[in-house]
Amino acid sequence: MATVLISHSACLDHDTGPYHPETPERLRAVLAALETSAFADLLREQAPMATIEQLTRVHPQSYVKAVLDSRPELGQPIRLDSDTIISNGSAEAAARAAGGACLAVDMVMECLAQSAFVAVRPPGHHAEPNRPMGFCLFNNVAVAAMHARVFWGVQRVAVVDFDVHHGNGTQAFFAADPDLFYASSHQSPCYPGTGESHETGVAQNIVNVPLHPRDAGLAFRAAWSDTILPALNDFAPGLLIISAGFDAHIADPLAQLRLENDDFSWITDALVAVADRHCAGRIVSVLEGGYDLDALAAAAAIHVKSLMRT
Ligand SMILES: [Zn+2]
Protein backbone atom coordinates (compact mmCIF):
# COMPACT_ATOMS: atom_id res chain seq x y z
CA MET A 1 0.00 0.00 0.00
CA ALA A 2 1.11 3.55 -0.70
CA THR A 3 2.73 6.28 1.34
CA VAL A 4 1.13 9.71 1.28
CA LEU A 5 2.99 13.04 1.46
CA ILE A 6 0.86 15.76 3.05
CA SER A 7 1.87 19.42 2.93
CA HIS A 8 0.54 22.88 2.09
CA SER A 9 2.07 26.03 0.65
CA ALA A 10 0.51 28.06 3.50
CA CYS A 11 3.13 26.48 5.78
CA LEU A 12 5.69 28.61 3.92
CA ASP A 13 3.91 31.78 5.08
CA HIS A 14 4.79 31.32 8.76
CA ASP A 15 7.41 34.10 8.76
CA THR A 16 9.95 33.86 11.56
CA GLY A 17 11.99 36.81 10.29
CA PRO A 18 15.69 37.02 9.41
CA TYR A 19 18.30 35.05 11.36
CA HIS A 20 15.78 32.50 12.69
CA PRO A 21 16.75 28.85 12.08
CA GLU A 22 13.15 27.64 11.56
CA THR A 23 12.76 29.11 8.07
CA PRO A 24 10.42 28.44 5.14
CA GLU A 25 13.54 27.25 3.28
CA ARG A 26 13.48 24.14 5.48
CA LEU A 27 10.15 23.02 4.07
CA ARG A 28 11.16 24.00 0.53
CA ALA A 29 14.29 21.83 0.88
CA VAL A 30 12.31 18.81 2.11
CA LEU A 31 9.67 19.11 -0.61
CA ALA A 32 12.33 19.55 -3.33
CA ALA A 33 14.07 16.37 -2.16
CA LEU A 34 10.75 14.51 -2.48
CA GLU A 35 10.20 15.69 -6.06
CA THR A 36 12.72 13.34 -7.66
CA SER A 37 11.69 10.28 -9.66
CA ALA A 38 12.45 8.05 -6.66
CA PHE A 39 9.33 9.51 -5.05
CA ALA A 40 7.00 9.29 -8.05
CA ASP A 41 4.89 6.68 -6.27
CA LEU A 42 4.01 8.96 -3.34
CA LEU A 43 0.39 9.99 -3.03
CA ARG A 44 0.24 13.74 -2.49
CA GLU A 45 -2.42 15.58 -0.52
CA GLN A 46 -2.97 19.15 0.64
CA ALA A 47 -3.09 19.66 4.40
CA PRO A 48 -6.49 20.93 5.53
CA MET A 49 -6.85 23.32 8.45
CA ALA A 50 -7.46 21.48 11.72
CA THR A 51 -10.91 22.06 13.14
CA ILE A 52 -11.48 23.80 16.46
CA GLU A 53 -12.76 20.46 17.77
CA GLN A 54 -9.51 18.71 16.81
CA LEU A 55 -7.32 21.44 18.33
CA THR A 56 -9.28 21.74 21.58
CA ARG A 57 -8.76 18.06 22.38
CA VAL A 58 -5.21 19.14 23.32
CA HIS A 59 -5.22 22.92 23.76
CA PRO A 60 -7.72 25.00 25.80
CA GLN A 61 -10.30 26.88 23.75
CA SER A 62 -8.85 30.23 24.83
CA TYR A 63 -5.38 29.22 23.64
CA VAL A 64 -6.65 27.98 20.27
CA LYS A 65 -8.61 31.20 19.78
CA ALA A 66 -5.62 33.34 20.72
CA VAL A 67 -3.37 31.61 18.16
CA LEU A 68 -5.97 31.57 15.39
CA ASP A 69 -6.92 35.20 15.98
CA SER A 70 -3.31 36.43 15.96
CA ARG A 71 -2.91 38.16 12.62
CA PRO A 72 -0.16 40.73 13.09
CA GLU A 73 0.38 42.96 10.06
CA LEU A 74 2.60 41.63 7.28
CA GLY A 75 6.22 42.14 8.22
CA GLN A 76 5.35 42.88 11.87
CA PRO A 77 5.64 39.48 13.58
CA ILE A 78 5.00 39.15 17.31
CA ARG A 79 7.56 37.42 19.48
CA LEU A 80 5.81 35.04 21.92
CA ASP A 81 9.02 34.02 23.67
CA SER A 82 12.72 34.31 22.88
CA ASP A 83 12.42 32.07 19.81
CA THR A 84 8.72 31.51 19.07
CA ILE A 85 7.26 33.92 16.54
CA ILE A 86 3.74 34.52 15.25
CA SER A 87 3.42 36.33 11.92
CA ASN A 88 0.55 37.22 9.62
CA GLY A 89 0.59 33.75 8.05
CA SER A 90 1.24 31.73 11.21
CA ALA A 91 -2.35 30.97 12.21
CA GLU A 92 -3.17 29.27 8.93
CA ALA A 93 0.22 27.52 8.80
CA ALA A 94 -0.22 26.18 12.34
CA ALA A 95 -3.80 25.08 11.67
CA ARG A 96 -2.70 23.27 8.49
CA ALA A 97 0.27 21.65 10.27
CA ALA A 98 -2.07 20.10 12.85
CA GLY A 99 -4.76 19.45 10.24
CA GLY A 100 -2.27 17.69 7.98
CA ALA A 101 -1.37 15.37 10.83
CA CYS A 102 -5.08 14.60 11.34
CA LEU A 103 -5.56 13.93 7.60
CA ALA A 104 -2.63 11.52 7.80
CA VAL A 105 -4.42 9.65 10.60
CA ASP A 106 -7.60 9.56 8.52
CA MET A 107 -5.78 8.17 5.47
CA VAL A 108 -3.99 5.37 7.30
CA MET A 109 -7.12 4.46 9.29
CA GLU A 110 -9.21 4.35 6.09
CA CYS A 111 -6.50 2.22 4.43
CA LEU A 112 -6.06 4.85 1.70
CA ALA A 113 -2.35 4.77 2.59
CA GLN A 114 -0.25 2.57 4.82
CA SER A 115 2.03 5.35 5.95
CA ALA A 116 2.15 9.14 5.80
CA PHE A 117 4.79 11.84 5.96
CA VAL A 118 3.44 15.23 6.99
CA ALA A 119 5.85 17.92 5.77
CA VAL A 120 4.67 21.02 7.56
CA ARG A 121 5.77 23.90 9.75
CA PRO A 122 5.66 25.29 12.39
CA PRO A 123 6.80 22.16 14.22
CA GLY A 124 4.86 21.06 17.29
CA HIS A 125 6.54 18.92 19.93
CA HIS A 126 7.54 21.76 22.28
CA ALA A 127 4.03 23.29 22.35
CA GLU A 128 2.40 22.55 25.69
CA PRO A 129 -1.38 22.58 26.02
CA ASN A 130 -1.35 26.15 27.33
CA ARG A 131 1.95 27.52 26.05
CA PRO A 132 3.67 28.08 22.69
CA MET A 133 7.33 27.26 22.94
CA GLY A 134 10.47 26.42 20.99
CA PHE A 135 9.23 27.45 17.49
CA CYS A 136 5.94 25.51 18.12
CA LEU A 137 2.34 26.80 18.28
CA PHE A 138 0.07 23.72 18.20
CA ASN A 139 1.29 20.26 19.21
CA ASN A 140 0.67 18.56 15.87
CA VAL A 141 1.41 14.99 16.98
CA ALA A 142 -0.70 15.27 20.14
CA VAL A 143 -3.61 16.64 18.12
CA ALA A 144 -3.20 13.71 15.69
CA ALA A 145 -3.03 11.20 18.55
CA MET A 146 -6.24 12.52 20.09
CA HIS A 147 -7.94 12.52 16.68
CA ALA A 148 -7.04 8.83 16.40
CA ARG A 149 -8.37 8.19 19.89
CA VAL A 150 -11.60 10.15 19.76
CA PHE A 151 -12.63 10.01 16.10
CA TRP A 152 -11.27 6.60 15.14
CA GLY A 153 -11.51 4.86 18.50
CA VAL A 154 -7.88 3.76 18.57
CA GLN A 155 -7.41 2.84 22.20
CA ARG A 156 -3.64 3.10 22.56
CA VAL A 157 -1.56 5.60 20.61
CA ALA A 158 2.23 5.96 20.72
CA VAL A 159 4.34 8.93 19.71
CA VAL A 160 8.06 8.32 19.31
CA ASP A 161 10.43 11.25 18.86
CA PHE A 162 13.96 11.14 17.44
CA ASP A 163 14.34 14.92 17.18
CA VAL A 164 17.51 16.04 18.97
CA HIS A 165 15.39 18.03 21.43
CA HIS A 166 13.05 16.55 24.02
CA GLY A 167 9.35 16.92 23.16
CA ASN A 168 8.34 18.51 26.44
CA GLY A 169 4.94 19.52 25.10
CA THR A 170 3.99 16.03 23.99
CA GLN A 171 5.21 14.56 27.25
CA ALA A 172 3.25 17.16 29.25
CA PHE A 173 0.04 16.15 27.50
CA PHE A 174 0.67 12.37 27.52
CA ALA A 175 2.17 11.76 30.97
CA ALA A 176 -1.09 11.37 32.93
CA ASP A 177 -2.85 9.05 30.46
CA PRO A 178 -1.76 5.39 30.53
CA ASP A 179 -3.23 4.80 27.05
CA LEU A 180 -0.87 7.35 25.52
CA PHE A 181 2.83 6.51 25.16
CA TYR A 182 5.66 8.94 24.44
CA ALA A 183 9.30 8.00 23.99
CA SER A 184 12.23 10.20 23.04
CA SER A 185 15.95 10.07 22.48
CA HIS A 186 17.48 13.53 22.68
CA GLN A 187 20.65 15.39 23.56
CA SER A 188 21.14 16.35 27.21
CA PRO A 189 22.04 18.92 28.29
CA CYS A 190 20.17 20.80 25.60
CA TYR A 191 16.99 22.82 25.06
CA PRO A 192 14.38 22.55 26.60
CA GLY A 193 16.02 20.87 29.61
CA THR A 194 13.33 18.23 30.23
CA GLY A 195 13.44 14.52 29.37
CA GLU A 196 15.39 12.92 32.19
CA SER A 197 15.19 9.13 32.35
CA HIS A 198 13.31 9.31 35.69
CA GLU A 199 10.37 11.10 33.98
CA THR A 200 8.23 8.01 33.37
CA GLY A 201 4.57 9.13 33.43
CA VAL A 202 1.76 7.52 35.40
CA ALA A 203 2.30 4.03 34.00
CA GLN A 204 5.83 3.89 32.59
CA ASN A 205 4.14 5.38 29.51
CA ILE A 206 6.89 7.99 29.16
CA VAL A 207 10.34 6.74 28.16
CA ASN A 208 13.25 9.16 27.90
CA VAL A 209 16.79 8.31 26.88
CA PRO A 210 19.07 11.34 27.13
CA LEU A 211 22.19 11.18 24.96
CA HIS A 212 25.44 13.05 25.53
CA PRO A 213 26.69 15.78 23.22
CA ARG A 214 28.90 14.19 20.52
CA ASP A 215 27.17 10.81 20.83
CA ALA A 216 26.85 9.16 17.41
CA GLY A 217 24.86 6.37 15.78
CA LEU A 218 26.11 3.64 18.08
CA ALA A 219 24.70 5.29 21.21
CA PHE A 220 21.53 6.34 19.37
CA ARG A 221 20.85 2.81 18.11
CA ALA A 222 21.56 1.34 21.55
CA ALA A 223 19.05 3.77 23.13
CA TRP A 224 16.35 2.58 20.78
CA SER A 225 17.28 -1.13 20.68
CA ASP A 226 17.83 -1.55 24.40
CA THR A 227 15.21 0.78 25.90
CA ILE A 228 12.69 2.49 23.64
CA LEU A 229 11.76 -0.25 21.17
CA PRO A 230 11.19 -2.90 23.89
CA ALA A 231 8.97 -0.46 25.84
CA LEU A 232 7.11 0.45 22.66
CA ASN A 233 6.52 -3.22 21.85
CA ASP A 234 5.26 -3.79 25.41
CA PHE A 235 2.84 -0.87 25.00
CA ALA A 236 1.53 -2.43 21.75
CA PRO A 237 0.06 0.71 20.15
CA GLY A 238 -2.88 0.66 17.76
CA LEU A 239 -1.30 3.56 15.86
CA LEU A 240 2.32 4.73 15.72
CA ILE A 241 3.10 8.42 15.22
CA ILE A 242 6.65 9.73 14.73
CA SER A 243 7.90 13.18 15.72
CA ALA A 244 10.45 13.20 12.91
CA GLY A 245 13.12 15.79 13.62
CA PHE A 246 16.39 15.58 11.73
CA ASP A 247 18.46 17.90 13.93
CA ALA A 248 20.40 15.04 15.53
CA HIS A 249 22.29 14.92 12.19
CA ILE A 250 26.03 15.53 12.47
CA ALA A 251 25.71 18.59 10.21
CA ASP A 252 22.99 20.27 12.24
CA PRO A 253 23.98 23.63 13.76
CA LEU A 254 21.61 23.56 16.77
CA ALA A 255 22.98 20.52 18.65
CA GLN A 256 25.98 18.23 18.87
CA LEU A 257 24.76 14.68 18.22
CA ARG A 258 26.47 13.00 15.29
CA LEU A 259 23.88 10.90 13.46
CA GLU A 260 24.42 10.14 9.79
CA ASN A 261 21.94 9.42 7.03
CA ASP A 262 21.94 5.66 7.54
CA ASP A 263 20.96 6.12 11.19
CA PHE A 264 17.71 7.71 10.00
CA SER A 265 16.96 4.79 7.69
CA TRP A 266 17.81 2.36 10.51
CA ILE A 267 15.40 3.95 12.99
CA THR A 268 12.66 4.29 10.39
CA ASP A 269 12.99 0.64 9.37
CA ALA A 270 12.83 -0.37 13.05
CA LEU A 271 9.67 1.70 13.59
CA VAL A 272 8.04 0.31 10.43
CA ALA A 273 8.66 -3.16 11.87
CA VAL A 274 6.93 -2.15 15.13
CA ALA A 275 3.98 -0.77 13.14
CA ASP A 276 3.77 -4.04 11.20
CA ARG A 277 3.70 -6.00 14.42
CA HIS A 278 1.08 -3.98 16.30
CA CYS A 279 -0.69 -1.52 13.99
CA ALA A 280 -1.25 -3.34 10.68
CA GLY A 281 1.64 -1.21 9.41
CA ARG A 282 -0.14 2.09 10.10
CA ILE A 283 2.43 4.80 10.70
CA VAL A 284 2.16 8.61 10.61
CA SER A 285 5.34 10.71 10.60
CA VAL A 286 5.25 14.46 11.21
CA LEU A 287 8.17 16.80 10.54
CA GLU A 288 9.67 18.49 13.60
CA GLY A 289 13.18 20.03 13.54
CA GLY A 290 16.24 19.91 11.28
CA TYR A 291 18.17 23.11 10.56
CA ASP A 292 20.97 22.28 8.13
CA LEU A 293 19.09 22.46 4.84
CA ASP A 294 21.14 19.85 2.97
CA ALA A 295 21.19 17.39 5.88
CA LEU A 296 17.49 17.93 6.54
CA ALA A 297 16.58 17.29 2.91
CA ALA A 298 18.77 14.18 2.64
CA ALA A 299 17.68 12.67 5.95
CA ALA A 300 13.98 13.38 5.34
CA ALA A 301 14.25 11.75 1.91
CA ILE A 302 15.89 8.67 3.42
CA HIS A 303 13.20 8.56 6.09
CA VAL A 304 10.43 8.68 3.49
CA LYS A 305 12.14 5.98 1.40
CA SER A 306 12.03 3.74 4.45
CA LEU A 307 8.36 4.57 5.04
CA MET A 308 7.73 3.61 1.39
CA ARG A 309 9.62 0.34 1.95
CA THR A 310 11.71 0.96 -1.17
ZN1 LIG B 1 14.66 19.84 17.50
Side-chain angles (χ1 to χ4, degrees):
M1 215 194 312
T3 298
V4 61
L5 170 65
I6 299 173
S7 190
H8 199 283
S9 59
C11 292
L12 300 170
D13 297 333
H14 168 55
D15 176 13
T16 50
Y19 317 117
H20 196 290
E22 204 288 282
T23 64
E25 298 308 318
R26 299 178 56 247
L27 181 54
R28 286 197 183 94
V30 168
L31 293 175
L34 300 177
E35 281 298 324
T36 65
S37 59
F39 298 99
D41 290 342
L42 282 175
L43 303 176
R44 291 165 191 267
E45 293 288 341
Q46 299 285 311
M49 290 176 66
T51 65
I52 301 290
E53 183 183 1
Q54 288 168 339
L55 294 168
T56 53
R57 292 182 187 129
V58 172
H59 301 284
Q61 187 109 30
S62 57
Y63 178 91
V64 170
K65 185 168 168 29
V67 171
L68 294 181
D69 288 352
S70 290
R71 304 272 173 158
E73 298 208 1
L74 273 174
Q76 307 278 323
I78 298 168
R79 191 172 286 273
L80 300 176
D81 67 18
S82 60
D83 52 25
T84 310
I85 310 277
I86 200 156
S87 72
N88 182 271
S90 298
E92 181 176 348
R96 291 194 187 278
C102 291
L103 175 62
V105 171
D106 290 339
M107 290 191 70
V108 301
M109 294 308 298
E110 290 178 280
C111 299
L112 297 173
Q114 184 159 47
S115 58
F117 183 62
V118 187
V120 288
R121 56 185 289 279
H125 72 156
H126 295 306
E128 297 186 350
N130 224 341
R131 180 160 74 136
M133 194 174 151
F135 316 163
C136 304
L137 298 175
F138 294 134
N139 194 310
N140 305 321
V141 292
V143 171
M146 289 308 292
H147 181 60
R149 286 270 300 271
V150 177
F151 186 80
W152 289 101
V154 180
Q155 196 182 349
R156 298 156 71 75
V157 182
V159 170
V160 294
D161 185 334
F162 55 72
D163 189 281
V164 81
H165 303 100
H166 179 243
N168 59 289
T170 313
Q171 175 173 308
F173 185 73
F174 278 32
D177 188 331
D179 286 333
L180 294 173
F181 176 96
Y182 173 74
S184 171
S185 65
H186 46 271
Q187 180 177 317
S188 178
C190 195
Y191 183 89
T194 50
E196 299 290 333
S197 51
H198 62 76
E199 299 168 21
T200 55
V202 284
Q204 308 293 314
N205 58 316
I206 302 292
V207 178
N208 287 309
V209 185
L211 298 170
H212 301 295
R214 301 189 60 77
D215 274 352
L218 198 63
F220 173 80
R221 295 184 192 205
W224 286 83
S225 293
D226 298 348
T227 306
I228 296 176
L229 294 173
L232 179 61
N233 275 311
D234 285 349
F235 179 76
L239 176 67
L240 181 58
I241 301 176
I242 305 175
S243 266
F246 300 96
D247 41 10
H249 195 285
I250 188 169
D252 197 275
L254 262 58
Q256 291 78 44
L257 292 191
R258 301 167 65 86
L259 299 195
E260 302 193 35
N261 290 342
D262 64 347
D263 295 309
F264 292 100
S265 60
W266 177 86
I267 186 58
T268 309
D269 290 344
L271 293 171
V272 166
V274 171
D276 281 348
R277 184 169 167 190
H278 299 290
C279 322
R282 294 185 183 110
I283 189 162
V284 167
S285 176
V286 184
L287 180 64
E288 300 282 0
Y291 303 98
D292 178 272
L293 295 182
D294 292 339
L296 168 64
I302 281 164
H303 174 64
V304 173
K305 286 296 281 179
S306 285
L307 291 178
M308 295 170 73
R309 304 167 189 246
T310 54

